[in-house]
Amino acid sequence: MSAEFPFPCCRCGYCCLVETCPAGQFFFGVGRYSLCPGLSFQDDQAVCQIALIDLEIIGGGAGCCIKARAVKGDKVYDFASLPVDLKKDLAQALRRRKAA
Ligand code: SF4
Ligand code: SF4
């Protein structure tokens, strides 16, 4: 696995909810901060319509790509290294906010 993506992807969908990737912007004609029309969730796992056709188009499969830092109290966490359940909880909270 690449040193750039040392943590596995749990398909929480957070990255796609935060912004639409270049491939999504191109294929769906939406802006970076528009909700990607290619994103859906099945059994709480993110599904990308483009990846279903060809994973290489979106460069998926390398690992978690979120470089964000999460701060709780005086501790700083790397999003990619968070436990799977916490990643999914954060993604669900963002989904609810985007749907409101
Ligand atoms: S095209 Fe796929 S990888 Fe890109 S933002 Fe949309 S759902 Fe995510
Ligand atoms: S935020 Fe990380 S773990 Fe979640 S879907 Fe994106 S790459 Fe995978």
Side-chain angles (χ1 to χ4, degrees), residues 15-63:
C15 52
C16 302
L17 287 165
V18 171
E19 64 180 53
T20 297
C21 72
Q25 292 173 48
F26 177 79
F27 283 108
F28 299 114
V30 297
R32 183 175 175 180
Y33 298 111
S34 304
L35 192 54
C36 180
L39 175 65
S40 60
F41 288 85
Q42 281 175 9
D43 298 326
D44 222 22
Q45 290 215 306
V47 177
C48 167
Q49 295 308 309
I50 295 175
L52 289 177
I53 297 165
D54 187 346
L55 190 61
E56 283 187 20
I57 295 175
I58 58 157

Side-chain angles (χ1 to χ4, degrees), residues 8-16 63-66 79 87:
C9 172
C10 66
R11 293 173 60 188
C12 70
Y14 193 86
C15 52
C16 302
C64 187
C65 57
I66 286 280
F79 182 92
K87 283 182 177 180

